[in-house]
């Protein structure tokens, strides 16, 4: 034990133990195929394969790996529009999430500042925000299709490169992801000590200097908390959006495999979504720490 503590191996061993326990639990719950020979109605012996177990249709880790191997070992392969390596699908999803996330921050951050600075604006806008904030992305997407029904950008060959479904997808991601940024920014602005604002007045700082020298630096920790939460929600929403639009991506691939009855690849998609979500959260945490150290 001293050896483990000395070299801090517990940070490596404990996650490995956790993963091993998870795989064992998965193996126990998963079904297995039992082959039997029985006589049919004509008396002929036939072979029947029957899935048994706690969850008969759930594939074991080994079966899931074999069914998903081609998508993992060739992560950027493109065998067709809806048949690509898992990282190729992930890249498409991340591209859409990035666009929607940027829109969410561009709209949500100023809105949060307005809410934090103006009690009048807060009284007027807060009821609307509280009503809209819990709405599911599945409900926002049809509204996006209605709002952007006339959007259609074509290339030189008259092929649609950005249509109503693309605009609705961005709208859905942005409107679902911006609320944590709005709320946390507003809380951060309200938490600024009055002394800071008094000093800005004494120094006769302009509004823009007060914003960039006082408000934003003092609010930054709260803003980053909102940014992290917004990024997590944007990544969650992409699955629903791609299911509804049929776009190629992790969510679209998941829905395609569900319709095809390939449960092994559904598990691949779930694990990919989880791992990418963790990486995004860690990346945002790293950026936040860098900003705080400046």
């Amino acid at each position: 034990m001293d050896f483990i503590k000395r070299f801090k191996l517990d940070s490596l061993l404990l996650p490995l133990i956790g993963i091993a326990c998870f795989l064992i639990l998965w193996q126990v719950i998963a079904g297995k195929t039992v082959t039997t020979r029985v006589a049919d109605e004509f008396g002929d012996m036939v072979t029947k394969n029957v899935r048994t177990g706690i969850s008969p249709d759930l594939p074991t880790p080994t079966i899931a790996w074999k069914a998903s191997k081609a998508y993992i070992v060739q992560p950027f392969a493109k065998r067709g529009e809806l048949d690509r390596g898992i990282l190729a699908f992930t890249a498409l999803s991340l591209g859409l999430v990035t666009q929607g996330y940027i829109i969410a921050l561009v709209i949500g951050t100023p809105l949060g500042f307005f809410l934090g600075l103006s009690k009048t604006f807060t009284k007027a806008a807060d009821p609307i925000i509280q009503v809209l904030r819990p709405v599911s992305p599945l409900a926002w997407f049809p509204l996006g299709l209605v709002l952007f029904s006339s959007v259609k950008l074509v290339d030189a060959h008259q092929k649609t490169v950005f249509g109503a479904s693309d605009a609705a997808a961005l709208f859905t991601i942005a409107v679902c992801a911006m609320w944590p940024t709005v709320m946390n920014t507003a809380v951060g602005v309200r938490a600024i000590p009055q002394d800071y604002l008094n000093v800005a007045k004494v120094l006769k700082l302009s509004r823009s200097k007060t914003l960039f020298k006082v408000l934003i630096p003092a609010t930054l920790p709260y803003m980053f908390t909102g940014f992290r939460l917004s990024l997590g929600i944007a990544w969650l929403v992409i699955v629903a959006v791609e299911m509804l639009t049929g776009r190629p991506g992790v969510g679209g691939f998941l829905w395609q495999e569900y319709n095809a009855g390939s449960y092994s690849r559904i598990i691949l998609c779930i694990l990919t979504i989880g791992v990418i979500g963790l990486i995004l959260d860690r990346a945002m945490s790293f950026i936040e720490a860098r900003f705080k150290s400046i």
Side-chain angles (χ1 to χ4, degrees):
M1 294 301 289
D2 291 339
F3 175 80
I4 292 175
K5 289 182 179 178
R6 183 185 303 173
F7 293 97
K8 297 183 178 178
L9 292 179
D10 55 340
S11 60
L12 175 64
L13 288 177
L14 292 178
L16 290 177
I17 292 172
I19 292 172
C21 291
F22 172 77
L23 291 175
I24 292 171
L25 179 64
W26 178 1
Q27 180 73 36
V28 170
I29 295 174
K32 62 180 180 180
T33 302
V34 177
T35 302
T36 57
R37 286 184 63 78
V38 295
D40 63 8
E41 57 185 354
F42 302 105
D44 299 325
M45 297 302 291
V46 296
T47 302
K48 292 186 68 176
N49 293 323
V50 180
R51 297 283 298 176
T52 62
I54 298 175
S55 180
D57 291 329
L58 180 66
T60 63
T62 306
I63 294 175
W65 162 252
K66 289 179 180 176
S68 307
K69 186 177 178 181
Y71 295 89
I72 299 171
V73 297
Q74 296 179 310
F76 295 103
K78 183 179 179 181
R79 294 173 285 270
E81 190 64 24
L82 294 174
D83 187 10
R84 310 181 188 209
I86 192 63
L87 290 186
F89 279 130
T90 302
L92 292 173
S93 297
L94 282 175
L96 189 62
V97 165
T98 302
Q99 296 173 55
Y101 179 62
I102 291 173
I103 295 172
L105 297 194
V106 169
I107 297 173
T109 305
L111 184 57
F113 271 99
F114 281 124
L115 286 171
L117 290 171
S118 172
K119 291 183 179 178
T120 304
F121 183 74
T122 299
K123 289 179 182 176
D126 189 63
I128 300 172
I129 291 174
Q130 296 306 325
V131 169
L132 298 182
R133 195 161 58 93
V135 175
S136 163
L138 299 176
W140 282 115
F141 185 75
L143 179 62
L145 287 176
V146 174
L147 288 173
F148 303 103
S149 58
S150 60
V151 172
K152 185 178 181 181
L153 299 179
V154 297
D155 60 12
H157 304 287
Q158 297 302 308
K159 181 182 177 183
T160 302
V161 293
F162 188 86
S165 63
D166 301 303
L170 289 179
F171 167 77
T172 304
I173 295 171
V175 78
C176 290
M178 74 175 184
W179 301 120
T181 296
V182 172
M183 302 309 293
N184 280 278
T185 303
V187 170
V189 172
R190 291 177 193 136
I192 296 174
Q194 187 60 40
D195 291 345
Y196 289 14
L197 301 177
N198 292 339
V199 169
K201 288 180 181 177
V202 170
L203 296 176
K204 297 182 179 178
L205 297 181
S206 63
R207 289 188 176 182
S208 61
K209 283 189 175 180
T210 303
L211 175 65
F212 289 105
K213 298 290 185 182
V214 178
L215 295 179
I216 291 180
T219 314
L220 211 51
Y222 294 88
M223 289 168 61
F224 264 104
T225 301
F227 292 168
R228 285 180 66 180
L229 295 172
S230 290
L231 184 58
I233 291 176
W235 183 240
L236 290 177
V237 171
I238 188 67
V239 176
V241 166
E242 288 179 343
M243 283 181 174
L244 292 172
T245 60
R247 293 172 58 94
V250 179
F253 182 50
L254 188 154
W255 189 241
Q256 171 188 301
E257 295 306 309
Y258 171 73
N259 288 323
S262 177
Y263 303 124
S264 297
R265 292 170 191 162
I266 291 175
I267 294 173
L268 170 66
C269 293
I270 291 172
L271 293 177
T272 302
I273 291 167
V275 170
I276 297 300
L278 175 65
I279 293 173
L280 291 176
D281 185 71
R282 292 293 182 267
M284 186 58 76
S285 177
F286 175 76
I287 295 171
E288 181 182 4
R290 295 284 294 177
F291 265 95
K292 286 182 178 177
S293 63
I294 295 176

